[in-house]
Amino acid sequence: LAKTTQPISMDSYEGQEVNITCSHNNIATNDYITWYQQFPSQGPRFIIQGYKTKVTNEVASLFIPADRKSSTLSLPRVSLSDTAVYYCLVGDPPGGYQKVTFGTGTKLQVIP
Amino acid sequence: DAGITQSPRYKITETGRQVTLMCHQTWSHSYMFWYRQDLGHGLRLIYYSAAADITDKGEVPDGYVVSRSKTENFPLTLESATRSQTSVYFCASSERTGGSPLHFGNGTRLTVT
């Protein structure tokens, strides 16, 4: 069961790049790394997922080193609307999610 | 519209009453999940279902009952509500394919008085 560790909170100014790192030392071979974003009064929303190396989509990039013991979510040029809680999940979805814990996530505050 | 819908959005009930939270998805996803979210605990899994008529316990199942007679519906019932069950409840669904992410509803805020 992969336990994840991520910072409780981060502040960033608008227009800056934000990197949120997640540690997952005991990641298993079949586990994916998935990041979710949650705004107040809404359910979490899928942002990006990867298995190894680098993944990029229209909203973020995910960097995964060769040993897969950590991962970094990169948000380019953040705006006020990126203020949210970001969760890192490590597991083998969907069936393996019975064993996955969301944790408390990283609260990102974007400052004007 | 396709998606996952939870109802009601808000609910206030009294201790000891039975209450059912509804979850409906239009994607025909095989997997469905119920989470509760409390300050300081993140999201914790209550129950999940791999398919119709297949359900199993998650991390915090005590005091809850689920059923899944149809693929698209996954109701969560609190048989005798307690104040400790005051929380925000989220339903999620996922395709069966390995690596498929979760898709969440917008939650039900339940207050037990």
Side-chain angles (χ1 to χ4, degrees):
Chain A
L1 183 61
K3 178 177 166 55
T4 60
T5 303
Q6 52 184 122
I8 294 173
S9 64
M10 295 179 70
D11 292 337
S12 176
Y13 287 102
E14 269 192 300
Q16 289 189 328
E17 178 184 76
V18 171
N19 295 311
I20 306 175
T21 297
C22 181
S23 298
H24 29 81
N25 290 323
N26 58 340
I27 187 169
T29 303
N30 293 335
D31 287 346
Y32 287 78
I33 300 157
T34 312
W35 285 81
Y36 292 83
Q37 175 191 56
Q38 186 179 26
F39 298 114
S41 301
Q42 294 186 24
R45 182 175 73 106
F46 169 80
I47 303 175
I48 196 166
Q49 180 174 278
Y51 184 79
K52 61 181 178 181
T53 63
K54 176 184 173 183
V55 179
T56 298
N57 62 21
E58 63 277 7
V59 297
S61 295
L62 179 60
F63 298 91
I64 305 169
D67 65 7
R68 303 204 323 131
K69 293 183 183 299
S70 67
S71 58
T72 299
L73 173 71
S74 181
L75 304 172
R77 297 180 298 282
V78 294
S79 65
L80 295 176
S81 63
D82 293 316
T83 294
V85 178
Y86 293 82
Y87 296 95
C88 164
L89 257 68
V90 173
D92 182 15
Y97 269 177
Q98 60 182 294
K99 306 181 187 72
V100 172
T101 301
F102 261 80
T104 53
T106 297
K107 187 172 185 178
L108 173 65
Q109 180 70 51
V110 180
I111 305 164
Chain B
D1 290 296
I4 185 163
T5 306
Q6 293 184 238
S7 61
R9 193 81 165 88
Y10 302 92
K11 176 73 176 177
I12 300 174
T13 192
E14 294 177 343
T15 301
R17 290 193 179 267
Q18 182 181 80
V19 61
T20 296
L21 310 184
M22 304 301 292
C23 179
H24 175 78
Q25 52 106 352
T26 59
W27 293 299
S28 298
H29 284 171
S30 294
Y31 280 83
M32 295 189 76
F33 304 79
W34 273 107
Y35 292 88
R36 61 177 289 174
Q37 185 171 38
D38 306 290
L39 280 174
H41 287 281
L43 286 96
R44 292 181 290 176
L45 182 63
I46 305 171
Y47 269 95
Y48 69 99
S49 169
D53 297 322
I54 301 175
T55 62
D56 208 345
K57 296 177 181 178
E59 181 185 356
V60 289
D62 293 343
Y64 302 95
V65 174
V66 293
S67 62
R68 190 149 177 228
S69 57
K70 292 184 178 181
T71 298
E72 61 267 30
N73 296 323
F74 191 38
L76 176 73
T77 298
L78 288 68
E79 292 189 303
S80 178
T82 65
R83 289 198 180 91
S84 65
Q85 292 176 309
T86 292
S87 186
V88 181
Y89 292 85
F90 289 102
C91 178
S93 70
S94 176
E95 294 180 84
R96 175 172 293 281
T97 308
S100 297
L102 298 169
H103 300 269
F104 284 85
N106 278 329
T108 294
R109 181 175 294 275
L110 175 68
T111 302
V112 183
T113 62

